[in-house]
Amino acid sequence: MTSDYSDPKPTRTRPAPASSSSLSSVGNALLLLEHLEHNGSISVTETARLLGVGISSAHRLLRTVTDAGFAVQRRSGGRYEAGHKLLDIALGALSQINLREIAYPHLEELSRRIPAQIWLIRMDSSRATSLDAHLTSGVQLATPDFIASRPLHTLASGKLLLSTLTASHLNRLYPHERLPPVTARSITSKDQLFKELAAVRRAHYAVQLGENMLPSGAIAVSVYGLTGEILGALTVSGPVEEFDRVGLHERLPLVRSASVAITDDIHERLRQR
């Protein structure tokens, strides 16, 4: 369903010196990645100007970092944005701070305003992992282990991550047209999923309605890093009937406000490091 890798005396050889051109290429790549880290996106023309190279050289370098996952181009001819590898680096830095400690007061405050299960979800390329949960509803709809076992396309938080990936990456994750359903309401085709992800990109939030567990619905909004990359998802889940149009209209502003507060606190903690 569409929602909205012995010698005892080894021979020692002196490594060949790196050529000036290879060193220059590495330097250009690092400068490009630094720009993406701080600015979020860049065009081919801006890359050529930044590096002092021709358009064709700029385009080749952008394609190289894109193929390696450090950048992403969402449409042909469009700007290049920070990719999922930069997200991995950001998550490495984030792992050095106590994300639960930062987020907890915001989860607690949100739980006072919304009678539901509130989850802070960290995501990888194929699964979603619960970092913390603040349970305020009387019904236990899911557990962290349950969430970690679910395919991303059946989770509101998973759809947020998938919406940031290139079509090439999505095709590697989902090589077949038919997707494995979890419930009768799960998305079951790649075409259907791509349409759903396009809607998520436009709306900047994701919803699931009984797609990983029939009685359960959820809404998820992003928690962002310093360069606008998605670090995780703040998700509110509850009985599916509470996530109709009216329920979403009432909950979305509250969830977004809590996500912004968590993001602001993460940024402040990272700046202090």
Side-chain angles (χ1 to χ4, degrees), residues 57-133:
S57 294
H59 186 263
R60 283 196 300 272
L61 182 54
L62 284 164
R63 293 312 309 166
T64 297
V65 298
T66 298
D67 290 343
F70 286 98
V72 58
Q73 187 183 38
R74 302 193 187 286
R75 60 181 180 82
S76 179
R79 296 178 68 82
Y80 291 78
E81 302 175 8
H84 66 91
K85 285 292 180 64
L86 287 179
L87 167 61
D88 293 341
I89 293 170
L91 285 172
L94 192 61
S95 68
Q96 302 304 310
I97 66 174
N98 194 328
L99 182 55
R100 285 178 168 173
E101 177 186 316
I102 293 172
Y104 187 83
H106 303 290
L107 300 181
E108 190 175 39
E109 173 62 24
L110 185 59
S111 73
R112 285 194 285 265
R113 307 182 71 180
I114 300 177
Q117 291 183 315
I118 298 169
W119 304 89
L120 182 58
I121 308 295
R122 181 156 59 195
M123 300 165 288
D124 61 29
S125 62
S126 62
R127 298 292 180 188
T129 303
S130 173
L131 285 179
D132 210 350

Side-chain angles (χ1 to χ4, degrees), residues 27 71 133 160 194 225 231 257 264 269:
L160 275 181
F194 278 30
L231 298 181
S257 179
D264 287 345
R269 189 69 63 92

Side-chain angles (χ1 to χ4, degrees), residues 39 51 60 77 100 163 168 180 189 191 206 230 234 246 251 270:
N39 299 281
L51 304 179
R60 283 196 300 272
R100 285 178 168 173
S163 73
S168 175
S189 75
D191 180 65
I230 296 178
L234 178 58
V246 174
R251 296 179 177 205
L270 289 174

